[in-house]
Amino acid sequence: QESNILFRLLEAQQLAADLEFRVVHGDANLKKKSIEISRYEKRLKDMIGTASMLIRKYPERDDIVRVYFARAGAYEELKQVAAATKDYDYLTTRFSKTNFAMRGNLSLAAFSTDAKDYKRAIFYLKRIEAEPEDPHYPFAIYQLAWSHYNLAQIPASLLYLKTYIDYY
């Protein structure tokens, strides 16, 4: 039962982190003061610890993709891009047809775009393009247009913009 209890703990920690984020931002807005995120970051680190334990002890759980996704998201929030990339890469490769993988591809593309590595961003976005029924498809097409534009590949950029317009 430890596996199920740890998974429930991870879900509770994720909910607590989400609530902490909202409270901290709401409080800062109301009081017109800077945002203090140390408690939020502590909750994210707790999530990472629980997720890591689940992955180490129960790697064959049916819903392990959710655990990887939660940990990757926590790493991403903490700006630990290398660790987030490792988890997103694993889940997009091992669980390629899941919604979590498609969302992971978007994060990987965003990391690549932030690093101005547009060819790599295109690599991740094309994974989503291959699934036109996926809800992330239109956003991926839009990002593909900009990635090609940033590589001075104007004809490809315009083609993706046309596809984006046609989609809507």
Side-chain angles (χ1 to χ4, degrees):
Q1 290 190 3
E2 181 187 41
S3 170
N4 291 331
I5 292 169
L6 284 171
F7 188 78
R8 295 279 187 206
L9 174 61
L10 178 62
E11 289 179 323
Q13 289 169 327
Q14 193 169 22
L15 179 60
D18 290 345
L19 291 171
E20 186 72 43
F21 181 87
R22 289 183 176 96
V23 167
V24 165
H25 282 78
D27 189 48
N29 185 47
L30 285 173
K31 295 178 180 174
K32 306 290 187 229
K33 64 177 189 171
S34 63
I35 298 170
E36 171 52 50
I37 61 169
S38 60
R39 287 179 35 196
Y40 172 62
E41 290 176 335
K42 164 91 171 75
R43 293 190 188 282
L44 292 171
K45 290 174 185 171
D46 290 344
M47 279 178 57
I48 291 168
T50 301
S52 296
M53 185 184 307
L54 267 164
I55 289 167
R56 184 179 67 255
K57 292 178 94 174
Y58 306 101
E60 300 304 318
R61 273 187 66 96
D62 289 340
D63 52 7
I64 199 70
V65 65
R66 292 179 60 195
V67 177
Y68 274 98
F69 189 78
R71 187 172 76 172
Y75 280 135
E76 186 174 357
E77 281 292 303
L78 291 169
K79 309 275 188 276
Q80 295 178 16
V81 174
T85 297
K86 183 178 176 186
D87 279 352
Y88 284 136
D89 268 334
Y90 179 78
L91 73 91
T92 59
T93 302
R94 178 126 191 276
F95 307 99
S96 62
K97 297 298 181 189
T98 65
N99 188 43
F100 296 106
M102 293 298 127
R103 291 167 56 191
N105 282 315
L106 282 179
S107 290
L108 290 167
F111 296 157
S112 300
T113 299
D114 290 346
K116 297 191 182 342
D117 186 352
Y118 303 110
K119 287 183 181 179
R120 189 147 186 84
I122 289 169
F123 170 78
Y124 293 119
L125 294 166
K126 285 208 168 271
R127 290 177 171 177
I128 301 167
E129 180 188 19
E131 302 292 332
E133 299 302 315
D134 188 275
H136 303 97
Y137 175 82
F139 183 74
I141 295 301
Y142 182 79
Q143 291 301 315
L144 278 162
W146 278 108
S147 294
H148 283 286
Y149 174 81
N150 285 310
L151 291 171
Q153 298 171 348
I154 304 307
S157 178
L158 291 173
L159 183 63
Y160 278 110
L161 281 176
K162 182 183 180 328
T163 303
Y164 181 73
I165 291 167
D166 289 347
Y167 179 86
Y168 286 106

